[in-house]
Amino acid sequence: MEISDVIKSKCAAVEPVLAGYSRIGDSKTQEMILHPIKAGGKRIRPCLTLLACEAVGGDLSKIMPAAASVELLHTFTLVHDDIMDHDLERRGKPTVHAIWGDEMGIIVGDTLYSSAFKALVDVRKNGVPAERVLDAVDVLVEANGELQEGQIMDMLFEGRESVSEAEYMTMIQKKTGALIEAAVKIGCIVGGGSAKQLGAFSVYGRNCGVAFQIKDDVLDLVADQRVLGKPVGSDIRSGKKTLIIVHALAKAGKDDRRLILSVLGRGDATDAEVGEVIEKLGKTGSIDYAERKVRELTAAAKKALDALPDSEAKSSLLELADYLIERRG
Amino acid sequence: MEISDVIKSKCAAVEPVLAGYSRIGDSKTQEMILHPIKAGGKRIRPCLTLLACEAVGGDLSKIMPAAASVELLHTFTLVHDDIMDHDLERRGKPTVHAIWGDEMGIIVGDTLYSSAFKALVDVRKNGVPAERVLDAVDVLVEANGELQEGQIMDMLFEGRESVSEAEYMTMIQKKTGALIEAAVKIGCIVGGGSAKQLGAFSVYGRNCGVAFQIKDDVLDLVADQRVLGKPVGSDIRSGKKTLIIVHALAKAGKDDRRLILSVLGRGDATDAEVGEVIEKLGKTGSIDYAERKVRELTAAAKKALDALPDSEAKSSLLELADYLIERRG
């Protein structure tokens, strides 16, 4: 089975659970809360939770609300991010705030946030011991805190001329790595994995998450616009300090550097200007550098899984690591 | 000791814990997160948590992060509410979004939200058994979900011409009652109270919370503007469906009803127009009706505490119930 089919079949069981935790309030409220859930997404995080649980020999029937939990938390961040980034569409559909206004967008996000914790706490009802559930809550809480911190760093970086590679890496570890790490750790904890296995999942999840984010930054520059679903170079126009930009600003000569900075963050930059910046990013070797990082991080993620016994779930986790960075848009 | 002094002295120990959970990220981030915490407030919720813990014979030294938790959650709701209500000042100080923009306001609120759960989970580090901690997390999660639901109801009510008293009561039970109930329940649970005591705290907290909210609605109409810190009748201009409005719209004659509806929700209504509406609300007996409700709810709250053994903490809880509704602004 192709890994994309594994994800689909695994997550089929999560969908009704996700929908159940979105059934809050009257029909109008439910419509608003279900909207970003139904808008879809690849469901990578809940799938990671299920696979991690399975890989340590855990009982999948008990863990569904935990898998739903990480997706609810992820969805909450998307709803709020879309307000903060003023994005009116996501995956070709209008965002929550685009339909119902910023005020409702804020509270719909907040509601998904509480549903995430509600779902995770509910695994106790499936007979998972309180100690384990609390460990899992702890992981989600920590990841969540990192996530907000990463988002704040990202926003503050946009206003700064220079950001170091170390600062960038810390930012995406928090903003993207933390929740993917949490997804596998929660699966391992609820499934009854050992401390050693938990450590392995931590390395796997964080590296996969960071690789995924850097790949995203690369795709923003090199992907086919039709596959990407948004204009190429959006990150340049919004002034994002991606690894590629950070690397290029450090390596570029004075003139190239000035050119990059003159376009970065200008929402009204022309396609030609953005194209010129992308050309410079190629010239400084920054896109290649990022691609190399992606491969290294993925290799490290897969290596960490040596700590797990061989199983179908482990094979899927290895394939999933590659799948995350082989996307074309 | 006056109850206001009890609150101050109890909460002195919570302040550094609160500040500790706001110490996130770099100095700029910390400044933004600490801002709404330092802006103050009466600290009624953490005080309720401490008193409930004490009243069931619990160990106060273990519960500080739990007390901080309810205040962090409360502060998060204020930060987001201020964005949604476009309020630029709270307690005479600029709101987070007024200083740093809506985007930062959203993420600062989200961060306080995660800190709330982080703090609560941390009581385990103080030696509180996992079962109890998880029960407390469960209570916070439920309250939190109700809170968002109440906020959505409140927003949807503004767009409706008619709201029943039962609908209004459900809304404020969720929006205001749930977190005050959670504050005492968490104190009781972490302190090791019995199921019977937990039930008593549930009745106490919810009734106190609802009484507090209705009193707030009354004060908006009858308080001295200088004590209130905002213009009298703000709720009328913003179109809030308070108990008083709901009651008046049900009781008023056709002409009075039309007059009330013609001013309700008009942000540019003159003081004279608002004054006329307030006069009608007096004529329909709606303000008296709300005052009576406040007294009944408070009496029911105090009665519930019969289930507790006599103690200094219990006396303070009884006094606190009265204090919450004896405010003048």
Side-chain angles (χ1 to χ4, degrees):
Chain A
M1 194 154 51
E2 288 279 316
I3 187 68
S4 57
D5 294 325
V6 172
I7 298 175
K8 256 184 230 153
S9 93
K10 283 270 166 222
C11 284
V14 182
E15 293 301 331
V17 186
L18 263 177
Y21 282 101
S22 314
R23 228 166 271 129
I24 291 163
D26 65 2
S27 60
K28 170 82 187 160
T29 308
Q30 286 183 29
E31 184 195 350
M32 295 189 292
I33 294 173
L34 262 173
H35 177 83
I37 296 284
K38 284 203 290 196
K42 290 183 280 288
R43 308 292 195 226
I44 287 165
R45 291 161 191 80
C47 184
L48 284 169
T49 305
L50 298 182
L51 287 172
C53 174
E54 221 177 347
V56 300
D59 181 349
L60 278 193
S61 72
K62 292 183 177 174
I63 204 180
M64 289 301 157
S69 167
V70 291
E71 188 68 6
L72 288 162
L73 200 83
H74 174 59
T75 310
F76 134 70
T77 66
L78 299 183
V79 172
H80 279 191
D81 282 3
D82 286 339
I83 304 174
M84 292 187 268
D85 295 341
H86 310 286
D87 284 334
L88 300 178
E89 280 201 359
R90 178 176 287 273
R91 303 193 191 100
K93 286 176 187 145
T95 50
V96 175
H97 72 105
I99 306 176
W100 293 287
D102 284 7
E103 294 80 2
M104 278 297 178
I106 293 173
I107 193 77
V108 165
D110 290 346
T111 306
L112 287 163
Y113 200 157
S114 11
S115 291
F117 281 102
K118 191 170 162 49
L120 189 52
V121 167
D122 276 355
V123 296
R124 179 156 63 153
K125 291 184 189 156
N126 292 349
V128 178
E131 282 284 352
R132 275 192 210 170
V133 180
L134 199 52
D135 285 343
V137 170
D138 214 345
V139 165
L140 194 67
V141 163
E142 286 292 334
N144 197 17
E146 286 198 75
L147 226 142
Q148 325 301 346
E149 208 186 320
Q151 172 70 7
I152 294 177
M153 287 177 82
D154 198 14
M155 289 163 81
L156 293 176
F157 284 177
E158 285 178 24
R160 279 169 50 182
E161 189 170 301
S162 133
V163 170
S164 74
E165 184 173 327
E167 286 178 311
Y168 168 83
M169 292 301 284
T170 303
M171 184 274 284
I172 57 166
Q173 273 173 20
K174 289 177 187 289
K175 193 177 164 174
T176 311
L179 187 56
I180 291 184
E181 180 183 349
V184 278
K185 280 174 79 177
I186 288 170
C188 175
I189 290 167
V190 176
S194 68
K196 191 182 150 209
Q197 290 171 332
L198 191 63
F201 277 118
S202 177
V203 175
Y204 170 87
R206 189 148 298 222
N207 282 305
C208 278
V210 174
F212 179 78
Q213 182 61 54
I214 299 177
K215 184 70 190 188
D216 232 41
D217 297 345
V218 171
L219 286 170
D220 183 72
L221 303 171
V222 305
D224 183 324
Q225 174 157 343
R226 285 162 304 178
V227 186
L228 198 59
K230 59 176 183 176
V232 170
S234 302
D235 288 349
I236 293 175
R237 288 195 175 87
S238 70
K240 288 264 175 244
K241 293 284 191 302
T242 66
L243 178 62
I244 303 131
I245 294 290
V246 165
H247 181 269
L249 289 175
K251 299 291 171 195
K254 207 172 152 193
D255 289 350
D256 286 352
R257 190 182 148 86
R258 193 180 307 140
L259 177 113
I260 295 169
L261 286 173
S262 73
V263 178
L264 199 66
R266 264 186 41 227
D268 62 352
T270 64
D271 286 352
E273 286 173 316
V274 169
E276 211 178 348
V277 169
I278 294 176
E279 193 209 308
K280 299 298 176 199
L281 299 176
K283 190 176 137 192
T284 50
S286 305
I287 297 177
D288 288 345
Y289 179 75
E291 292 271 24
R292 203 158 58 239
K293 272 270 172 199
V294 168
R295 286 191 300 273
E296 283 169 14
L297 287 160
T298 302
K302 290 165 75 176
K303 182 87 186 70
L305 294 193
D306 286 352
L308 295 177
D310 286 340
S311 70
E312 213 177 292
K314 178 177 164 178
S315 303
S316 295
L317 286 165
L318 290 169
E319 277 180 69
L320 195 52
D322 288 323
Y323 172 76
L324 287 176
I325 60 163
E326 278 163 6
R327 300 168 296 140
R328 287 161 173 278
Chain B
M1 191 152 57
E2 289 278 320
I3 187 69
S4 57
D5 294 325
V6 171
I7 298 176
K8 255 183 229 153
S9 92
K10 283 271 166 219
C11 283
V14 182
E15 293 300 332
V17 185
L18 263 177
Y21 282 101
S22 314
R23 229 166 270 128
I24 291 164
D26 65 2
S27 59
K28 172 79 187 161
T29 308
Q30 286 183 28
E31 183 195 351
M32 296 189 291
I33 295 172
L34 262 172
H35 177 83
I37 296 284
K38 285 204 289 197
K42 291 184 281 288
R43 308 292 195 227
I44 286 165
R45 289 162 192 80
C47 183
L48 283 169
T49 304
L50 299 181
L51 287 172
C53 175
E54 220 177 348
V56 298
D59 181 349
L60 278 193
S61 71
K62 291 183 177 174
I63 205 181
M64 288 302 158
S69 167
V70 292
E71 189 68 7
L72 287 163
L73 199 85
H74 174 58
T75 309
F76 134 69
T77 66
L78 299 183
V79 172
H80 279 191
D81 282 2
D82 286 339
I83 304 174
M84 292 187 269
D85 295 341
H86 310 286
D87 284 335
L88 300 178
E89 279 201 1
R90 178 175 287 274
R91 303 191 191 102
K93 286 176 187 144
T95 50
V96 175
H97 72 106
I99 306 177
W100 293 287
D102 284 6
E103 293 81 2
M104 278 298 178
I106 292 173
I107 192 79
V108 164
D110 290 345
T111 306
L112 288 163
Y113 199 157
S114 12
S115 291
F117 280 102
K118 192 171 161 49
L120 189 52
V121 167
D122 276 355
V123 296
R124 179 156 64 153
K125 292 185 189 153
N126 292 350
V128 178
E131 283 284 350
R132 275 192 209 170
V133 180
L134 198 53
D135 284 343
V137 170
D138 214 347
V139 166
L140 195 66
V141 163
E142 287 292 335
N144 197 16
E146 286 198 75
L147 226 141
Q148 325 301 347
E149 207 187 320
Q151 172 70 7
I152 294 177
M153 288 176 81
D154 198 12
M155 288 162 81
L156 294 176
F157 284 178
E158 286 176 25
R160 279 169 50 181
E161 189 171 300
S162 134
V163 170
S164 74
E165 184 173 327
E167 286 177 311
Y168 168 82
M169 292 301 283
T170 303
M171 185 273 285
I172 57 166
Q173 273 173 21
K174 288 176 187 288
K175 192 178 165 173
T176 312
L179 187 56
I180 291 184
E181 180 183 347
V184 278
K185 280 174 79 176
I186 288 170
C188 174
I189 289 167
V190 177
S194 68
K196 192 183 150 207
Q197 289 171 332
L198 191 63
F201 277 118
S202 178
V203 176
Y204 169 87
R206 190 149 295 224
N207 282 305
C208 277
V210 173
F212 179 79
Q213 182 61 54
I214 299 177
K215 183 70 190 188
D216 232 43
D217 297 345
V218 171
L219 286 170
D220 182 71
L221 303 171
V222 304
D224 183 324
Q225 175 158 344
R226 283 162 305 179
V227 185
L228 198 60
K230 59 176 182 176
V232 170
S234 302
D235 288 348
I236 293 176
R237 287 194 176 88
S238 70
K240 289 262 175 244
K241 293 283 190 306
T242 67
L243 178 62
I244 303 130
I245 294 290
V246 165
H247 182 269
L249 290 176
K251 298 291 172 198
K254 208 173 152 193
D255 289 351
D256 286 353
R257 190 182 148 86
R258 193 180 306 140
L259 178 112
I260 295 169
L261 284 174
S262 74
V263 177
L264 198 66
R266 264 188 39 228
D268 62 352
T270 64
D271 286 351
E273 287 174 315
V274 169
E276 212 178 345
V277 169
I278 295 176
E279 195 209 305
K280 300 296 177 200
L281 300 176
K283 190 176 138 193
T284 51
S286 305
I287 296 177
D288 288 345
Y289 178 76
E291 293 269 24
R292 202 158 60 239
K293 271 273 173 197
V294 167
R295 285 191 301 274
E296 283 169 14
L297 287 160
T298 301
K302 290 164 77 175
K303 183 84 185 68
L305 295 192
D306 287 352
L308 296 176
D310 286 340
S311 70
E312 212 177 293
K314 177 178 167 178
S315 303
S316 295
L317 286 164
L318 291 168
E319 277 180 70
L320 194 52
D322 287 323
Y323 172 77
L324 287 175
I325 61 163
E326 277 163 5
R327 300 166 297 141
R328 286 162 175 278

